[in-house]
Amino acid sequence: MSWCLLDQSHQQFLILGESQNGVRAIKLAAQLNLSVIPMDVLLRQLAGIGTTEPILPVNLEAKVLILIIFGVEQYIYRAVSEGASGFRLKSSEPEELLGAVLAVAEGAAPLSPRVARLVLTEAVAKGHMTAIMLKLGARNRVDAALTAYRAEIVSP
């Protein structure tokens, strides 16, 4: 994981620090004046997701860009709740990653197209589940499944 400070007048990057684990990342963030922190979701010791929340109070100017791989998209909602500003797949082209860093520095919240599709798909699925629970008068998903089973709408 590398952290950078941006000179936005020239759109230049200066890498100020690197860390392979979340514990050291928090210490470095407190010492360095950072604009953007590209954060690997799978850091050692303290995962990138768990590192995001403690970093932001020690470096109020920093924004976190989470870098994810396929198969770990379930971390997106947690990362947002911990203060991440955007998401990119690690497999993105270098130009896309640099563009995402600039976008985060400017206050945007970039998402990889695949991540955006996943978020929208999950939101739609949750909306459907809520509608089903309301129609069945269910308190939660388990209650909805039991109600559907008892009514022989679904089978085991």
Side-chain angles (χ1 to χ4, degrees):
M1 170 189 63
S2 295
W3 300 334
C4 55
L5 176 68
L6 299 176
D7 173 357
Q8 291 184 312
S9 63
H10 297 96
Q11 291 193 341
Q12 294 179 339
F13 298 90
L14 175 62
I15 296 175
L16 296 177
E18 286 191 62
S19 175
Q20 297 299 315
N21 71 70
V23 174
R24 184 160 189 274
I26 294 167
K27 290 177 185 173
L28 282 172
Q31 298 168 2
L32 302 173
N33 181 23
L34 307 167
S35 318
V36 178
I37 301 172
M39 180 78 66
D40 187 337
V41 75
L42 298 175
L43 284 178
R44 287 184 231 134
Q45 283 190 318
L46 181 59
I49 297 295
T51 305
T52 301
E53 188 173 35
I55 277 182
L56 295 177
V58 300
N59 191 326
L60 298 175
E61 300 300 315
K63 294 181 178 75
V64 175
L65 173 67
I66 298 290
L67 302 175
I68 62 173
I69 58 173
F70 291 109
V72 294
E73 289 91 351
Q74 70 269 21
Y75 297 123
I76 293 170
Y77 293 103
R78 182 167 170 211
V80 168
S81 69
E82 292 198 10
S85 295
F87 301 88
R88 266 296 178 236
L89 294 173
K90 285 188 203 180
S91 60
S92 298
E93 294 295 322
E95 299 81 30
E96 291 178 55
L97 291 174
L98 294 176
V101 168
L102 286 171
V104 166
E106 293 170 356
L111 289 175
S112 296
R114 177 167 161 69
V115 172
R117 281 194 302 274
L118 180 84
V119 170
L120 291 173
T121 301
E122 190 166 332
V124 169
K126 284 182 178 185
H128 287 304
M129 192 65 219
T130 300
I132 290 167
M133 290 188 315
L134 285 172
K135 284 188 179 201
L136 293 175
R139 294 181 310 268
N140 54 44
R141 289 181 290 172
V142 173
D143 191 27
L146 288 173
T147 302
Y149 175 73
R150 288 184 192 123
E152 298 181 354
I153 297 170
V154 297
S155 57

